[in-house]
């Protein structure tokens, strides 16, 4: 029998005992009241931790979630719209109204929904409400692959060979591909989820892929900018997690193995990775911070 519980979920799966990098202090009170801009299990987890810290919680809900557990567990709850998420959990105006009505001092975004929306963070800043997560400028920079790659290179982080800037057109993409060597990946600078990505092994495929990728990027993200970088055959997709505060303290946490993908979208995440040795893990962690 394992001494510690096993971690198993739809998105993260490991058969190893859970590793604790503590102690985790959850008794220091930072706010009197926070609003949770999310739903379901993640909202329940935030509520549970907030209660341990003596912080009151505010839930938001759509019509479909009116009787959900997280709504019942929160100290207050506000309706933000009908069932479609575009009219409820992504409805910034309704969420800001709930913040004002409840007097919440901060917003915990959970994951998904508005958690990576720099425009939402900016509106919270303007309203004098704290966002429990990255600052607006950091989120905006990291959401732009071209800009984030430039920042990473300046910080001394290893990056995939490619062109550091906006690709003007298909012929410019062909020139870049010839310079860095085939095969190449044409990738949308904005968004994610595997959209706006094409592999090219010849100049003809670059021209074709550039149009397809830029059109898909425009329709999906409203931004048709494309970057070109060397395509790595049979790579391992490993992500390093970091946590930071407003005082310059940064820690790197155990990595996630995300190599099992379908159409460039992660299917399973495993922690820790079975393909990293201690030295490589340490070097990746040190570069991340």
């Amino acid at each position: 029998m394992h001494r510690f519980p096993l971690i198993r979920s739809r998105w993260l799966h490991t058969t190893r005992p859970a590793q604790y990098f503590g102690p985790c202090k959850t008794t220091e009170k930072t706010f009197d009241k926070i609003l949770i801009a999310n739903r379901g299990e993640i909202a329940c987890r935030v509520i549970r931790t907030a209660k341990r810290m003596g912080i009151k919680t505010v839930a938001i809900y759509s019509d479909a979630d009116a009787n959900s557990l997280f709504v019942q567990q929160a100290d207050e709850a506000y309706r933000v719209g009908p069932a479609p998420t575009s009219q409820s959990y992504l409805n910034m105006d309704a969420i800001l109204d709930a913040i004002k009505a409840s007097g919440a001092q901060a917003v915990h975004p959970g994951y998904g929904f508005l958690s990576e929306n720099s425009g939402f963070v900016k509106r919270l800043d303007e309203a004098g409400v704290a966002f429990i997560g990255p600052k607006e400028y950091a989120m905006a920079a990291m959401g732009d692959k071209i800009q984030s790659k430039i920042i990473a290179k300046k910080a001394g982080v290893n990056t995939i060979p490619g062109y550091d800037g906006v690709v003007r057109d298909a012929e410019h993409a062909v020139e870049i591909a010839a310079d860095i060597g085939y095969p190449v990946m044409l990738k949308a600078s904005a968004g994610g989820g595997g959209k706006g990505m094409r592999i090219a092994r010849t100049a003809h495929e670059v021209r074709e892929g550039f149009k397809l990728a830029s059109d898909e990027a425009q329709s999906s993200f409203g931004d048709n900018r494309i970057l070109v970088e060397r395509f790595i055959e049979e790579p391992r997709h490993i992500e390093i997690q970091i946590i930071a505060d407003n005082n310059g303290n940064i820690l790197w946490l155990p990595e996630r193995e995300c190599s099992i993908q379908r159409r460039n979208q992660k299917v399973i995440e495993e922690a820790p990775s079975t393909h990293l040795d201690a030295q490589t893990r340490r070097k990746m962690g040190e570069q991340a911070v």
Side-chain angles (χ1 to χ4, degrees):
M1 179 179 290
H2 290 293
R3 183 180 176 186
F4 300 117
L6 297 179
I7 299 174
R8 294 178 184 272
S9 74
R10 179 182 176 187
W11 301 111
L12 186 149
H13 177 203
T14 178
T15 54
R16 295 183 175 190
Q19 296 185 30
Y20 294 91
F21 297 82
C24 180
K25 186 176 181 181
T26 59
T27 56
E28 184 179 346
K29 190 173 179 180
T30 50
F31 302 104
D32 295 317
K33 184 188 291 186
I34 65 171
L35 181 141
I36 303 156
N38 217 296
R39 62 180 296 278
E41 180 261 352
I42 182 60
C44 289
R45 289 168 58 187
V46 176
I47 291 168
R48 188 163 57 244
T49 299
K51 285 185 175 180
R52 288 204 302 265
M53 299 175 69
I55 299 172
K56 291 184 178 180
T57 55
V58 180
I60 59 171
Y61 63 90
S62 70
D63 291 341
D65 293 323
N67 298 314
S68 295
L69 180 62
F70 74 95
V71 176
Q72 299 170 26
Q73 289 181 337
D75 296 295
E76 301 173 43
Y78 292 81
R79 178 186 178 274
V80 288
T85 58
S86 61
Q87 301 174 44
S88 52
Y89 297 104
L90 296 176
N91 186 341
M92 292 189 203
D93 290 334
I95 294 172
L96 285 164
D97 287 343
I99 293 169
K100 184 176 180 180
S102 65
Q105 301 161 314
V107 172
H108 194 304
Y111 53 76
F113 294 133
L114 295 172
S115 65
E116 297 181 44
N117 189 309
S118 60
F120 181 55
V121 179
K122 184 177 181 180
R123 292 189 65 176
L124 291 177
D125 286 343
E126 293 170 349
V129 178
F131 179 78
I132 303 174
K135 297 293 185 183
E136 182 268 337
Y137 70 87
M139 190 177 291
M142 291 299 102
D144 184 318
K145 296 184 183 69
I146 293 174
Q147 183 64 23
S148 62
K149 193 169 181 180
I150 292 172
I151 293 172
K153 289 185 74 172
K154 286 182 178 178
V157 175
N158 294 338
T159 59
I160 298 172
Y163 180 70
D164 297 333
V166 178
V167 182
R168 297 189 302 272
D169 50 35
E171 291 309 313
H172 187 205
V174 170
E175 292 175 16
I176 296 168
D179 183 51
I180 64 178
Y182 289 98
V184 297
M185 172 71 83
L186 295 98
K187 185 185 299 183
S189 178
K195 295 180 179 179
M197 297 175 68
R198 294 293 187 280
I199 300 169
R201 302 179 186 278
T202 66
H204 174 71
E205 290 181 356
V206 170
R207 293 186 180 94
E208 222 175 42
F210 182 86
K211 183 180 187 313
L212 293 171
S214 58
D215 287 349
E216 187 174 12
Q218 179 64 41
S219 63
S220 298
F221 315 122
D223 185 339
N224 67 354
R225 292 176 302 144
I226 297 294
L227 63 86
V228 180
E229 60 187 18
R230 186 71 181 268
F231 176 66
I232 308 299
E233 304 273 7
E234 298 184 3
R236 299 226 68 85
H237 182 136
I238 296 174
E239 299 180 356
I240 298 291
Q241 312 299 299
I242 65 171
I243 186 169
D245 63 17
N246 290 325
N247 301 311
N249 299 305
I250 308 175
L251 298 174
W252 62 272
L253 306 174
E255 75 288 346
R256 295 187 298 190
E257 169 71 67
C258 310
S259 299
I260 299 178
Q261 301 186 9
R262 179 177 180 270
R263 295 180 180 175
N264 297 310
Q265 286 185 289
K266 293 174 283 188
V267 177
I268 295 174
E269 297 183 5
E270 182 181 4
S273 171
T274 58
H275 297 274
L276 283 189
D277 56 43
Q279 183 179 13
T280 304
R281 177 178 291 110
R282 179 181 57 77
K283 287 182 177 179
M284 291 181 69
E286 289 174 351
Q287 278 205 7
V289 300

